Amino acid sequence: MKALVLLSGGLDSTLAMKLLLEQGIEVVAVHFVSPFFRSPWAVKTTQEWGVPLLEVDITDDILELLKAPPHGFGSQMNPCIDCHALMLRKAKEIMKEVGASFVATGEVLGERPMSQNRTALRIVERESGLEGLLLRPLSAKLFPPTIPEKEGWVDREKLLDIQGRSRKRQVELAEKWGIEHYPSPAGGCLLTDPQFSKRLRDLMENGELTKENVALLKLGRHFRLRKGVKLVVGRNKEENERLRGLFRKGDFLLQAYSHKGPDAILRGNVAEEGIILAGRIVGRYSDLGEGEKLKVKVQGDTERIIEIERAEEEVVRKLML
Ligand code: SF4
């Protein structure tokens, strides 16, 4: 009997996988990735345990989903119910491809009030088309038996009845099985992060939800100069390098030239005044002395140097996201 386990890399799904492995069930793991979530632990754990892992990129589906999730968002920009349903729909297809008989997840009843209550868990099961074939090993005893349990593919007695937000039992199991490294419960998904969500909301309100723009959200200080024009300023050497890597046709790359200072990407429908304002914001984060002017290298289709005074603190604060 083979099971397909949805492995986020977090503790719950790792334990769900381990519970099946302990029963001698063959496991294939699938790790869904996007710019918002990806965990190095999915790879490390499966390598260590000799479990085949499929990494499946669902960026396009998630970006589409974010535009109008039928079951809405959680406390931030996390459309958890629809995201779960999406992953399970994909899992159903993969289950057939890899010859697995059922799907298992690390969901725990009541761990997340919005997306892991009985109603939400029923919704995602129904919408995924996996009715009866979706096993939640950590909370299985709190639900009616699934087909794998009724058919004896899985020993229900060896499954668990974990419920609620306390992680005590999971942490005990992790100790028992020597699982030392795992992220905090909400640590794996940027869509649950308030600051990231604020920037994402701004992108969506400006009709700029693309892969390229989402990639920029993950680094730097962000400024909305006006509708359709966005500036991202690096906070350190590493971010400056990464920003340069994300520079693409149509963007302007600004670099402090006469003094030490950051790199920045200016993106959108940019007019000359936008370039000057962006340069002044770059000046705010440079080593510019009082009353000095900063030379900024501006690279677009062509390259030139502009000379600016740094922006006032209140201007920077007003435009910062
Ligand atoms: S926390 Fe993120 S990855 Fe997990 S279900 Fe919610 S939106 Fe999807």
Side-chain angles (χ1 to χ4, degrees), residues 8 32 34 36-37 58 62 65-66 77-85 87 112 115-116 185-186 188-192:
S8 69
F32 290 110
S34 78
F36 312 114
F37 41 82
I58 55 169
I62 287 286
L65 186 60
L66 282 170
M77 291 299 282
N78 48 319
C80 288
I81 295 178
D82 296 300
C83 179
H84 271 144
M87 289 181 184
R112 293 187 188 156
S115 63
Q116 293 188 355
C189 177
L190 285 170
L191 295 172
T192 61

